[in-house]
Amino acid sequence: RIQVSGCYLASRWARASQDWAQRVAEGGGVELVALAMQNHLAEVDVQVFGCMMLKAVADQVAESPQVIAHFRGVEAVLQSLQQHAEEGQLQEVGVRALCSIGQQDRMCR
């Protein structure tokens, strides 16, 4: 359950403000959340909070899409969506995270 709590807190902090999102990103939050998502793929709450955190950071920190891609955050979200196809909330936040990460994509606007 520690991974769930960690992803939850990172998600809350990243969504609190642009300053907090920057702190989470600079503090290694993207790497840690992506690793938690990859290592705990069966845990739906880790996936939901991980997607929320990645979306919040991507929305608020300019260079974060490259950082998320570097730490395999995109792959983590895609694996999550595939593994939990019946989880509606996860599907929604996962797709929103991908759109935020790929903010240059016309389909996400």
Side-chain angles (χ1 to χ4, degrees):
R1 296 288 314 170
I2 194 160
Q3 290 79 16
V4 173
S5 297
C7 289
Y8 170 76
L9 290 172
S11 170
R12 288 289 304 250
W13 291 331
R15 290 181 291 146
S17 70
Q18 186 175 8
D19 180 56
W20 274 104
Q22 184 76 37
R23 290 179 190 201
V24 169
E26 290 175 354
V30 170
E31 180 180 12
L32 293 175
V33 165
L35 283 172
M37 291 176 72
Q38 292 163 10
N39 292 329
H40 301 279
L41 187 56
E43 182 62 56
V44 174
D45 288 340
V46 168
Q47 306 306 315
V48 169
F49 295 133
C51 288
M52 287 179 173
M53 182 275 206
L54 293 174
K55 181 194 182 315
V57 170
D59 285 343
Q60 299 187 68
V61 181
E63 65 278 358
S64 64
Q66 295 84 1
V67 174
I68 292 168
H70 175 76
F71 289 115
R72 302 180 52 91
V74 174
E75 290 88 341
V77 174
L78 291 172
Q79 289 174 341
S80 179
L81 292 172
Q82 184 177 22
Q83 178 75 22
H84 300 285
E86 302 301 318
E87 296 289 339
Q89 181 187 16
L90 177 55
Q91 293 294 312
E92 182 177 340
V93 297
V95 169
R96 289 179 184 268
L98 290 174
C99 283
S100 292
I101 296 164
Q103 54 193 285
Q104 305 303 324
D105 191 328
R106 289 183 315 156
M107 292 182 64
C108 292
R109 293 183 194 160

